[in-house]
Amino acid sequence: MEKNLTPKRTVVIVGRPNVGKSALFNRIANRRIAIVHDQSGVTRDRIVREVAWHDESFHLVDTGGIRLFDGTQEKNVIEMAVRDQVDVAIADAAVVILVVDVLAGLQPADEEVARLVHKSGRPCYIAINKCDLPQHERGAGDFDRLAFPSFLVSAQHNRGIDELMAPVVKALPPKTEAELAEAAKPLRVAIVGRPNAGKSSYINRLLRSDRVIVSNVAGTTRDCVDVPFTIGSGPTARRYTLVDTAGMRHVHKIDTSVERFSLFRSEEAVRECDVAVLVMDAEIGPTTQDKFISSMIQREAKACIILINKWDLARAKGFTETAAIEHMREMLPFLRHVPVVFMSAQEGYNVRNSIEAIDRVAMNQKRVLPTGVLNRTLANALARTQMPSKNGRQLRFHYATQTGNNPMILRLFVNDARLATKPFQDYIVRNIREAFDLEGAAMILQFRSRIKSDGSKKEEEPDETLLPDGQKRRPIAKGRSPKPKPQRSRREKPSLGRGKNNLTPKSRRPHR
């Protein structure tokens, strides 16, 4: 596992199944977020929340239970996915909390988890959970073999949590200037869509006031309106800037200069935003204009969610969410990774879930993928497919790394970038999104051809970059200009002489 040199203020809770990780997560977050159940393996995906502990804010991550592997290839796909999720969480962590069960004693799976944490090099503290009574502390000495500082806790009865969190918070790195600027800078959310889809009504519902003008007349909003919006208070407050945009009509239907300027402002709002919220009318469904707006969001490489507004009216007519999602995925197949929220701005139905979806895709857009886990994920995905080939030459993958985030930029080094076909690139993007749970995040692939030992690049193997809209861009090398194609003059006629390219029979050739 690759060690992250600049870990963020992230605390990750790990351990084998059914030791009380989710209960400890809820206790530290002071909210019932993760599902707590006696059944083993309930938690599978990573759950991330920003929490505050004595005026210290950090991200808290709950992970799935790690089972003991026998060294062979695991056939259970879910268990392998949970293991990869834990590897990513440990790689992104600044401090790790290893949870064990004092009633069950030291298990081989506990030693396996401790080995992974030792390998990562992260500071770790053991939470010996389920110490509800004093007699339960007798077996705590067995966990000294894990070679980490240990604390007796009871997540269910809130015992020993303060003693555990004191060194955990102290071990967190100080906030960098980028993190302070990021915390001070609100998340910019652009609300876009066709006219009269309910964009302004959605903002007013969030603010619980008539902040922007709402009417049944299409095109009421003409200019982009920035509306500050804050949830909570203190260090854990979430700050947003909601941008109410004008309804986007097709460019051929615009008949006034005011509406044309409104369209330009809306497109500019999409380019400057962090998350784009595409609002659709549930009674009308996705239209051709919705395709145009969504393709613009993809072209600008922005995180995106889809809000199906006026769902109360559609539900009264017998529409179901399952049928609506199937129809939308059929109409907008390139937005299959985007979360869909069915909402009613008038009644307030699912408005809170829309904010959670915005936070989730915004966090995914800023994710930093560990290079080691990324290459292992790509190797497993490429082993299950046929590599593209052309003219007897097959594409070979060397390695990949992330070169940027927001949007996420992945650079893949191959033998010949020209062999990477569009279906092959879609397959790679789909597997990376599923492996790292990058719901709603935009991703850009940059293919680089093989590099020579002296550092120069082969001229016959140019670079290719996959743009968000699926097109390829081939930059021209510096100092070189494209060779112009020879153009035939209009007065120039094909020769009728005895050239070798003359296909006229000799009997029909004119006598000279």
Side-chain angles (χ1 to χ4, degrees):
M1 182 184 304
E2 184 177 347
K3 184 176 180 180
N4 190 359
L5 298 180
T6 58
K8 295 184 178 180
R9 294 172 60 88
T10 304
V11 178
V12 177
I13 302 176
V14 298
R16 60 182 180 86
N18 206 22
V19 294
K21 299 183 299 297
S22 298
L24 181 62
F25 177 87
N26 292 341
R27 180 63 66 182
I28 298 175
N30 200 19
R31 290 178 57 191
R32 299 184 64 178
I33 301 173
I35 300 175
V36 178
H37 197 275
D38 294 335
Q39 180 181 349
S40 176
V42 174
T43 303
R44 290 177 176 176
D45 296 314
R46 283 176 295 154
I47 303 176
V48 184
R49 285 294 184 275
E50 185 177 358
V51 300
W53 188 271
H54 299 320
D55 298 332
E56 290 286 343
S57 60
F58 54 89
H59 287 91
L60 186 64
V61 183
D62 184 20
T63 61
I66 300 178
R67 300 183 184 273
L68 185 64
F69 293 92
D70 55 358
T72 60
Q73 185 176 3
E74 181 67 27
K75 297 182 180 180
N76 194 334
V77 181
I78 296 179
E79 295 294 339
M80 294 297 295
V82 170
R83 181 65 173 267
D84 291 339
Q85 291 283 327
V86 176
D87 290 341
V88 175
I90 295 177
D92 293 338
V95 184
V96 179
I97 298 178
L98 173 57
V99 184
V100 295
D101 188 353
V102 69
L103 301 180
L106 182 62
Q107 300 292 326
D110 297 328
E111 298 179 349
E112 173 70 12
V113 179
R115 185 188 62 82
L116 293 177
V117 179
H118 276 292
K119 186 178 179 180
S120 68
R122 302 298 188 218
C124 177
Y125 300 92
I126 300 178
I128 305 178
N129 195 22
K130 302 183 182 180
C131 293
D132 303 334
L133 300 174
Q135 54 266 30
H136 295 160
E137 303 175 2
R138 299 172 183 173
D142 298 339
F143 298 99
D144 295 339
R145 296 173 51 185
L146 302 181
F148 287 123
S150 59
F151 298 86
L152 304 176
V153 301
S154 175
Q156 185 176 2
H157 300 283
N158 194 15
R159 182 188 178 195
I161 306 299
D162 291 330
E163 291 77 5
L164 169 67
M165 293 304 298
V168 170
V169 173
K170 189 176 181 180
L172 289 173
K175 290 186 178 181
T176 61
E177 296 181 359
E179 290 176 342
L180 292 174
E182 182 180 352
K185 180 182 178 182
L187 185 69
R188 192 169 183 84
V189 182
I191 315 297
V192 297
R194 294 182 293 105
N196 205 22
K199 301 181 294 297
S200 300
S201 300
Y202 171 64
I203 293 179
N204 288 341
R205 171 60 65 172
L206 288 176
L207 301 175
R208 297 182 180 180
S209 64
D210 297 334
R211 173 62 177 79
V212 289
I213 302 174
V214 177
S215 70
N216 294 328
V217 180
T220 301
T221 304
R222 291 182 172 181
D223 205 347
C224 295
V225 181
D226 291 1
V227 181
F229 178 56
T230 305
I231 298 179
S233 60
T236 60
R238 294 178 291 175
R239 296 175 176 83
Y240 309 85
T241 299
L242 305 177
V243 184
D244 187 18
T245 63
M248 297 183 183
R249 289 205 305 167
H250 196 276
V251 64
H252 296 300
K253 296 183 179 180
I254 297 177
D255 51 3
T256 62
S257 59
V258 175
E259 190 174 359
R260 187 173 299 275
F261 284 126
S262 299
L263 178 61
F264 294 158
R265 291 291 184 86
S266 300
E267 294 176 351
E268 184 180 2
V270 173
R271 285 191 295 268
E272 296 178 351
C273 73
D274 299 316
V275 179
V277 177
L278 177 57
V279 183
M280 298 184 185
D281 193 331
E283 294 184 298
I284 301 176
T287 62
T288 304
Q289 184 62 12
D290 292 322
K291 290 183 178 180
F292 169 77
I293 299 173
S294 58
S295 64
M296 180 185 63
I297 296 174
Q298 291 293 102
R299 185 171 61 252
E300 299 295 337
K302 299 298 180 180
C304 177
I305 73 167
I306 296 178
L307 291 185
I308 307 297
N309 193 24
K310 305 178 184 179
W311 185 243
D312 53 335
L313 303 178
R315 186 170 48 188
K317 295 182 179 180
F319 290 93
T320 60
E321 294 185 3
T322 303
I325 288 180
E326 291 180 357
H327 177 63
M328 193 201 63
R329 299 304 189 194
E330 182 180 355
M331 294 292 294
L332 304 173
F334 51 90
L335 292 183
R336 290 184 176 271
H337 65 284
V338 174
V340 181
V341 180
F342 294 90
M343 181 200 67
S344 174
Q346 184 176 1
E347 297 183 354
Y349 171 71
N350 261 354
V351 174
R352 179 176 298 180
N353 292 339
S354 65
I355 292 295
E356 295 180 357
I358 291 173
D359 292 339
R360 187 167 62 252
V361 299
M363 185 178 299
N364 292 338
Q365 189 80 338
K366 300 176 183 179
R367 288 269 302 276
V368 178
L369 307 182
T371 305
V373 183
L374 173 63
N375 283 271
R376 186 173 63 189
T377 302
L378 287 175
N380 294 335
L382 297 179
R384 300 191 302 267
T385 186
Q386 178 68 30
M387 301 293 286
S389 60
K390 185 178 180 180
N391 297 331
R393 189 175 186 183
Q394 192 175 35
L395 180 68
R396 293 195 308 273
F397 168 76
H398 299 305
Y399 69 97
T401 184
Q402 182 177 354
T403 59
N405 58 354
N406 197 18
M408 183 176 297
I409 302 176
L410 302 179
R411 182 168 297 175
L412 289 80
F413 293 88
V414 295
N415 61 333
D416 191 348
R418 295 172 296 186
L419 300 177
T421 60
K422 180 62 169 56
F424 175 74
Q425 297 167 3
D426 294 340
Y427 175 79
I428 291 178
V429 172
R430 185 169 60 253
N431 278 269
I432 294 177
R433 282 202 174 104
E434 292 176 356
F436 294 95
D437 193 17
L438 299 175
E439 184 183 25
M443 188 181 305
I444 300 177
L445 297 183
Q446 294 179 344
F447 285 84
R448 293 293 183 267
S449 299
R450 185 175 53 192
I451 306 299
K452 292 182 179 181
S453 58
D454 58 354
S456 61
K457 189 177 299 182
K458 291 187 176 181
E459 297 180 358
E460 69 275 11
E461 297 179 354
D463 298 342
E464 291 191 0
T465 301
L466 178 65
L467 298 177
D469 56 356
Q471 300 179 357
K472 294 181 179 179
R473 176 177 62 227
R474 299 186 180 182
I476 302 174
K478 295 182 179 180
R480 299 177 55 190
S481 58
K483 189 175 181 180
K485 295 182 180 180
Q487 297 182 356
R488 179 182 297 177
S489 175
R490 294 183 178 179
R491 297 182 179 181
E492 182 180 353
K493 296 182 179 180
S495 174
L496 298 179
R498 295 185 178 182
K500 69 178 179 179
N501 294 329
N502 192 356
L503 302 181
T504 307
K506 292 184 179 181
S507 59
R508 292 189 178 182
R509 296 177 184 175
H511 298 282
R512 297 183 181 274

